[in-house]
Amino acid sequence: MRLAGNRVTIGVTGGIACYKICDLVRNFVKSNLEVRILMSKSATKFINPETFRVLSRKEVLIDTFQYTSAERVEHISLTEETDLFIVAPATANTIAKMAWGFADNMMTAFFLAYKGKTIVCPTMNHKMFTSKQVQENISRLKELGVEILEPEEGELACGEEGRGRLPSVELIFEKAVESLSIKDLKNKRILVTAGPTREHIDPVRFISNPSSGKMGYALAKAAKRRGAEVILITGPTYLDPPYGVKTIKIISAEQMCEKVLENIENVDVVIMSAAVADYKPKITHRKKIKKEESKIDAIELERTPDIINEINKVKKQNLYIIGFAAETENLIKNAQEKLNRKNMNMIVANLVAEAFQRDTNRVTIIKRNGEIRYLPEMNKEDIADEILDELVLDITQ
Ligand code: PMT
């Protein structure tokens, strides 16, 4: 994620969901973004501005006539220092003011002068949200170029059920990151595989490996943020499907192969980061093997399909293939050999001891033309961006 230095201004208005914005601010600050908070007066009834001041380490602005230094006309100066404006939670009242050009507090005055990207998260009772007035005001905001992040369904603060809840902080964060990211993979369709496969012996026992899916999911997320249309084919993991990514869940190598081949025609790039089992039991028992009844000395195995080889059999020209190599020794030599044997454009080499399950990894990127880039240990989200940078270099040359 390359967001350091970006500046986000958050408008907080008076709804019970205000408290959730504390986590959003923390996530932004942790990602090295600069955060400014504007509050409506009613928001201060739900949460003390001091909380946001401490979290953002910046003065919180409420009234139009507040300023942080005498030289500044705050609601105008701030428009030049904002890369993204988010209103969350956005009440019906503030939505109406934004739609019709009111400028009666710092937030609405700021919005009137601001010309950049804006995301509004309407949050209110479901009857208010579906009212003609609110819906018309939301349409008007859309016409003004504002992105609306629709509220979620569920139990509301008033006790009723319906559409009106603030979307999760993770989703708002992801939307913001996407909105701030450079779209250098726009119009590209990318298939990513992730996680382990499981080759079942019986319904409860299987052969697998410790892949967590973190690397593959990070690649899918980063590609989506950079504008690509992404399909993620994933073995069993504990991770949430990435926002905006078509996620297909599979169990075995054979199923992964089938789904990859089903989709391969419609993509420009395939990234095989999954740890696919090379062998499966020759026989899968439909019922649980009872240890009292059978004595197992050995399990006969057979090869699973090599997915990259299967892709190569049907591949159209210009399909860009990125593979991974997980090795315990001779990392570069073995990875180079795989790159050539499997006819790939790029391979990402990593050591088994450093790669599986951890949030960080240390990889070497090797390209078909012999270029080698040794990367230091970094977190998998950053590695994903480094890999995609190399891809962009190659496909835009
Ligand atoms: O999921 P994490 O916990 O974040 O861990 C990340 C990772 C270690 C799984 C990842 O970084 C990684 O190295 N993935 C590839 C692991 C692997 O299977 O490597 P390999 O050297 O055995 O296979 C080489 C390539 O062939 C891989 O791109 C693999 O997806 C592909 N393959 C393997 C077997 C098979 N039957 N078909 C294949 O296409």
Side-chain angles (χ1 to χ4, degrees), residues 193-196 209-216 237 253 256 271-279 303-309 311 322-327 338 342 344 347-352 354-358 361 363 380:
T193 66
N209 62 68
S211 169
S212 62
K214 285 177 189 169
M215 189 63 246
T237 75
M256 181 172 277
I271 310 181
M272 287 291 303
S273 70
V276 185
D278 289 312
Y279 292 92
R303 287 299 302 265
T304 56
D306 186 303
I307 301 176
I308 299 181
N309 285 347
I311 295 172
I322 304 177
F324 274 69
E327 306 291 339
K338 271 180 195 165
K342 297 195 180 203
M344 300 186 246
I347 194 155
V348 181
N350 49 203
L351 286 167
V352 167
E354 297 178 332
F356 282 88
Q357 289 188 334
R358 295 163 29 142
N361 193 3
V363 306
K380 285 181 178 169

Side-chain angles (χ1 to χ4, degrees), residues 189-355:
R189 294 159 305 170
I190 300 185
L191 189 157
V192 181
T193 66
T197 63
R198 285 181 186 171
E199 312 304 325
H200 273 271
I201 299 163
D202 73 6
V204 292
R205 302 174 178 99
F206 52 80
I207 298 169
S208 192
N209 62 68
S211 169
S212 62
K214 285 177 189 169
M215 189 63 246
Y217 279 58
L219 279 158
K221 260 191 199 175
K224 164 77 175 101
R225 286 169 181 166
R226 291 168 71 151
E229 199 184 302
V230 184
I231 301 174
L232 173 67
I233 301 179
T234 173
T237 75
Y238 292 102
L239 305 174
D240 289 332
Y243 154 77
V245 167
K246 180 178 173 192
T247 303
I248 301 171
K249 295 185 179 178
I250 56 86
I251 306 284
S252 67
E254 228 157 50
Q255 289 168 355
M256 181 172 277
C257 188
E258 191 186 311
K259 290 294 168 195
V260 168
L261 295 180
E262 242 174 64
N263 286 283
I264 204 72
E265 269 249 329
N266 304 319
V267 298
D268 308 296
V269 180
V270 56
I271 310 181
M272 287 291 303
S273 70
V276 185
D278 289 312
Y279 292 92
K280 65 171 187 163
K282 219 166 185 174
I283 295 165
T284 302
H285 295 262
R286 279 187 39 245
K287 291 188 181 154
K288 186 178 171 191
I289 303 168
K290 294 275 174 210
K291 58 178 176 291
E292 300 83 12
E293 289 165 16
S294 47
K295 180 173 170 296
I296 301 177
D297 293 324
I299 297 168
E300 210 180 336
L301 301 177
E302 63 185 8
R303 287 299 302 265
T304 56
D306 186 303
I307 301 176
I308 299 181
N309 285 347
E310 294 304 310
I311 295 172
N312 273 313
K313 288 184 196 162
V314 296
K315 106 172 195 173
K316 58 180 181 199
Q317 242 194 341
N318 295 334
L319 176 74
Y320 193 102
I321 304 179
I322 304 177
F324 274 69
E327 306 291 339
T328 49
E329 67 228 316
N330 300 328
L331 179 64
I332 304 300
K333 188 168 162 284
N334 288 343
Q336 273 165 332
E337 190 272 318
K338 271 180 195 165
L339 174 77
N340 295 326
R341 178 163 46 84
K342 297 195 180 203
N343 197 21
M344 300 186 246
N345 300 82
M346 189 199 297
I347 194 155
V348 181
N350 49 203
L351 286 167
V352 167
E354 297 178 332

